[in-house]
Amino acid sequence: MTVTASEAPAAAHFRFFDCEVLRTRRLGHSFLRVTFGGESLAGFRSGGFDQSLSLFLPPPGREHTVLPSTDEDTWFGAWRAMPEAERPVMRSYTVRAQRRTPAGADEIDIDFVLHGTGTSAAGAADSPAARWAGQAVPGRRILAIGPAVAQNKSVRFQPPPGTDAIWMYADETALPAAAAILERLPAGTAVRAWFEVPHEDDRLAPATRADADITWIVREGAGRERTGRVLDALRSTATATAAPAAPYAWLAGEAGTVRAVRRHLVQERSVDRRAVRFTGYWRLGASEEELLAEAYAGRAASEDPASEL
Ligand SMILES: Cc1cc2nc3c(=O)[nH]c(=O)nc-3n(C[C@H](O)[C@H](O)[C@H](O)COP(=O)(O)OP(=O)(O)OC[C@H]3O[C@@H](n4cnc5c(N)ncnc54)[C@H](O)[C@@H]3O)c2cc1C
């Protein structure tokens, strides 16, 4: 879930969860899966698909996250009012999976991209979330605000009735969400997907019963020309079969590329703009803190808060 200044989460839909790192697993060059547990997760209700949550990272030099209030109505103001050096860093992530173990324990998985940590080609100035994940060890705790009901507005994937095909674009930050969506789609759903990842071994093929035609775009060090490469891939893999009558497009990843892909679909492929759900998951050169500050200052007009990242 992404929180903006004007829109703290509705009390009934979201609440705080105290999560404990149970284990980590490297999935590919850029991905680390962190599995969290903890008694409070008994009340966690992921809606699946691209369900997101917000993590609160301890400030530098601190082991634990402390918030002055975790009350649904007052936490946001209290968090904003904290001195910057003390304020836990808030970051948005996807609930890759939620399950109950045979022993009755609740677990969630989050797949972190380890950008800017020396394991990814992309450099980054600070990247506290990627750094935190890279150092995660069992027993470490973190606060999250996440869904307490499965039907919540942080599930953005909402194809309207009558949709006859799903089109997807995701970069590595949105691949966990795309994979979770694909896992839940009914057998035979027509899917055309373009997935952009930094390295060859980041091509984590999703399990799906959908009829999914996936094109992988491997960046291997491409910098700001990345958007052009994605558009080239889209144009050169135009569907050979007749275009669907009512496609629904779900796009997520770096904000500039997401906007360019949306423009391509609407202008070059005549996709109804109302059938395109696009979300900027991050923006080149800006931390999530800076994006939130922009939103807070009212500089980013928004359809969906995260769309404007
Ligand atoms: C709804 C939603 C769901 C998301 N789900 C996931 C998820 O499941 N997994 C995941 O890894 N990310 C996910 N993200 C993206 C993640 O929130 C951002 O990448 C975030 O900026 C990471 O925080 P950070 O502290 O590591 O870096 P920041 O401090 O926010 O950024 C530091 C610098 O790194 C750059 N940067 C940020 N992300 C990347 C990147 N991936 N590659 C290269 N440079 C980058 C920024 O432009 C900035 O210059 C999601 C975002 C949203 C809005």
Side-chain angles (χ1 to χ4, degrees):
M1 186 192 59
T2 301
V3 180
T4 63
S6 59
E7 197 174 18
H13 287 189
F14 301 101
R15 70 174 179 80
F16 280 91
F17 296 91
D18 183 18
C19 306
E20 179 183 347
V21 176
L22 298 179
R23 57 189 175 274
T24 64
R25 183 157 73 92
R26 199 64 187 238
L27 300 177
H29 184 96
S30 308
F31 293 100
L32 181 80
R33 173 162 300 166
V34 180
T35 299
F36 296 92
E39 283 175 15
S40 76
L41 286 180
F44 194 93
R45 299 278 181 274
S46 173
F49 298 106
D50 56 346
Q51 174 76 65
S52 58
L53 48 58
S54 288
L55 300 177
F56 292 82
L57 307 159
R62 302 283 170 83
E63 188 73 6
H64 301 293
T65 305
V66 179
L67 288 176
S69 163
T70 53
D71 177 86
E72 291 88 350
D73 296 325
T74 59
W75 75 266
F76 189 71
W79 172 77
R80 285 284 314 171
M82 291 176 83
E84 211 170 303
E86 306 275 310
R87 191 188 306 146
V89 169
M90 180 167 64
R91 291 289 183 266
S92 304
Y93 279 87
T94 301
V95 181
R96 175 65 185 85
Q98 177 181 10
R99 69 188 150 270
R100 178 157 291 176
T101 67
D106 291 280
E107 298 183 351
I108 59 172
D109 294 332
I110 297 181
D111 291 353
F112 291 83
V113 176
L114 298 179
H115 71 96
T117 59
T119 56
S120 160
D126 189 19
S127 309
R131 193 157 28 88
W132 183 90
Q135 296 169 357
V137 288
R140 196 155 285 180
R141 306 186 82 89
I142 196 168
L143 266 187
I145 188 163
V149 295
Q151 297 248 350
N152 63 75
K153 66 186 167 69
S154 294
V155 178
R156 296 181 176 82
F157 181 83
Q158 305 278 358
T163 297
D164 64 354
I166 306 291
W167 286 354
M168 308 175 89
Y169 160 75
D171 75 4
E172 64 272 29
T173 62
L175 193 57
I181 289 169
L182 280 165
E183 277 173 9
R184 285 183 74 124
L185 288 177
T189 308
V191 178
R192 189 71 185 84
W194 292 266
F195 294 152
E196 182 198 4
V197 290
H199 294 278
E200 199 60 41
D201 79 347
D202 291 325
R203 296 170 15 142
L204 307 175
T208 185
R209 290 170 302 143
D211 184 8
D213 185 359
I214 299 173
T215 297
W216 291 94
I217 304 156
V218 180
R219 216 155 47 233
E220 296 291 2
R224 287 190 180 268
E225 76 277 19
R226 52 197 292 158
T227 300
R229 287 162 56 112
V230 170
L231 291 177
D232 287 349
L234 260 84
R235 290 189 178 111
S236 66
T237 52
T239 38
T241 51
Y248 171 79
W250 177 91
L251 321 174
E254 197 284 319
T257 304
V258 163
R259 281 208 183 89
V261 172
R262 175 177 179 261
R263 211 175 304 123
H264 164 80
L265 293 180
V266 171
Q267 294 178 359
E268 297 179 37
R269 295 206 186 188
S270 305
V271 176
D272 181 347
R273 63 176 63 240
R274 291 165 303 183
V276 182
R277 189 68 197 241
F278 67 107
T279 311
Y281 272 18
W282 62 287
R283 192 167 77 199
L284 263 177
S287 70
E288 198 169 322
E289 218 74 66
E290 291 164 327
L291 298 170
L292 186 64
E294 268 183 27
Y296 195 68
R299 284 197 291 272
S302 79
E303 168 259 324
D304 171 342
S307 295
E308 300 310 315
L309 296 185

